[in-house]
Amino acid sequence: MKKIVISSITFGFFILFAGNTLAAENEEVIDPTSELYDTSRVIEDTEYELTEETTEKALLQDAYADERLSEAELSLSEGDEDKAEELLEEYEDHVEKVEEDLEAATKDGEDVSEVEETVVDNSKKRSVNLLALLEREDLPETAKAGITKALENQKRAQEKVAKKRAKEETEEAKEREEEAAEEAKEREEEAAEEAKEREEEAAEEAKEREEEAAEKAKEREEEAAEKAKERAERAAEKAQEKAEKAAKKDKDRDESDEDEDENDDE
């Protein structure tokens, strides 16, 4: 679509007429033969150029497609077949531009899922209108060809979106499976780590118990050795006391014997 460069004065002119034009659009389709029609188309171009988000541009083109189809129906009802064919061609241009803007938005990283759903819903509604047009007896062959082409293109676009949705759902399901597998792996690793920690704690406790048992056994051995030593010392003391008593007794006996010998000599 041609790029429109407007001055501030011209823009003010657009704003001045925009209210009346858009009000007329909300009430009914603007007749392509109306004096306001060219102004409404200029406003469309300006609105599109001033819109920054690509998804919003796609929605605008989708709305413009609705307008062109309604205008084509009006032109056919008024018997202006040439204008109707021209508007149907423009309708196709808008539909193609919707796809281009959505592709550009996707490349820019914008979330286009909701916009795509809106576009598909609107496309299905327009398909009903296009099929109704095909049933008109006064529809020229060239218009029929254009409508048939438009229906085919819309069907292709709808299938493309459906295929994209199926692919996204498959990828999301795969991601969920991978996340679940990763979480399961993490839980297994955590369980293995906890089991390892419990084993290490149990081994540490067993080691501590062994050390405590060894320490107690050593203490008992030392106590037993100490007692044995004490008993040995007491036995030695008693033996010494006995030896001393026996020695004293022997000494006393020897002294007594000597006294008796001396008495005998006297």
Side-chain angles (χ1 to χ4, degrees):
M1 184 179 291
K2 63 181 180 178
K3 183 175 180 64
I4 300 176
V5 181
I6 58 175
S7 65
S8 58
I9 296 177
T10 307
F11 181 70
F13 174 79
F14 291 156
I15 297 300
L16 180 64
F17 283 92
N20 293 332
T21 303
L22 293 177
E25 287 178 341
N26 290 331
E27 293 175 2
E28 60 182 14
V29 178
I30 298 179
D31 193 323
T33 61
S34 168
E35 293 180 356
L36 292 175
Y37 186 75
D38 289 340
T39 303
S40 69
R41 295 297 296 272
V42 172
I43 290 175
E44 282 184 2
D45 292 341
T46 305
E47 181 184 29
Y48 183 79
E49 290 298 325
L50 293 177
T51 300
E52 295 182 357
E53 290 189 13
T54 315
T55 50
E56 293 297 327
K57 285 179 175 286
L59 288 174
L60 285 175
Q61 288 293 339
D62 189 60
Y64 302 155
D66 283 339
E67 292 293 329
R68 297 300 86 78
L69 182 56
S70 298
E71 292 162 5
E73 292 174 338
L74 179 61
S75 295
L76 283 173
S77 66
E78 294 176 348
D80 193 345
E81 297 176 358
D82 292 338
K83 188 62 177 178
E85 291 178 19
E86 178 185 337
L87 289 167
L88 285 172
E89 290 178 0
E90 292 181 5
Y91 166 81
E92 276 293 290
D93 291 339
H94 288 307
V95 171
E96 291 177 3
K97 188 61 179 174
V98 170
E99 291 188 35
E100 292 175 4
D101 286 341
L102 287 177
E103 289 177 1
T106 301
K107 290 180 180 178
D108 292 340
E110 295 184 38
D111 184 4
V112 300
S113 56
E114 292 185 5
V115 175
E116 280 182 336
E117 290 179 5
T118 300
V119 168
V120 169
D121 289 341
N122 292 339
S123 176
K124 290 178 180 178
K125 293 176 183 177
R126 290 195 294 267
S127 294
V128 174
N129 293 342
L130 289 171
L131 288 170
L133 282 176
L134 279 177
E135 295 176 357
R136 293 181 57 152
E137 295 180 357
D138 60 342
L139 188 68
E141 291 300 322
T142 52
K144 286 183 179 180
I147 292 173
T148 301
K149 180 183 176 183
L151 284 169
E152 291 174 352
N153 290 341
Q154 287 187 176
K155 182 179 179 182
R156 188 194 73 251
Q158 291 170 10
E159 290 175 347
K160 182 179 179 181
V161 172
K163 185 177 180 181
K164 180 183 177 183
R165 280 283 174 272
K167 182 180 178 181
E168 289 176 350
E169 289 175 359
T170 301
E171 291 176 350
E172 288 175 358
K174 184 179 178 181
E175 288 178 0
R176 287 194 296 270
E177 289 178 359
E178 291 176 349
E179 288 176 358
E182 185 66 24
E183 289 176 356
K185 182 180 178 182
E186 289 177 357
R187 287 194 296 270
E188 288 178 0
E189 291 176 350
E190 289 176 358
E193 185 66 24
E194 290 175 357
K196 183 180 178 181
E197 289 177 358
R198 287 194 297 271
E199 289 178 1
E200 291 176 349
E201 289 176 358
E204 185 66 24
E205 291 174 357
K207 183 180 178 181
E208 289 176 357
R209 286 194 297 271
E210 288 177 1
E211 290 176 350
E212 289 176 358
E215 184 67 24
K216 289 180 179 179
K218 184 179 179 181
E219 290 176 357
R220 287 195 295 271
E221 289 178 0
E222 290 177 350
E223 289 176 357
E226 184 67 25
K227 288 179 180 179
K229 182 180 179 181
E230 290 176 356
R231 287 196 297 272
E233 289 176 350
R234 285 198 297 272
E237 288 176 357
K238 288 180 179 180
Q240 185 177 357
E241 288 177 357
K242 283 182 179 181
E244 288 177 352
K245 286 180 179 180
K248 183 178 180 184
K249 187 176 181 181
D250 290 341
K251 183 180 178 182
D252 291 341
R253 188 170 51 248
D254 290 341
E255 289 177 352
S256 176
D257 290 341
E258 287 177 357
D259 291 339
E260 288 179 0
D261 289 340
E262 287 177 358
N263 292 327
D264 290 338
D265 289 338
E266 292 178 356

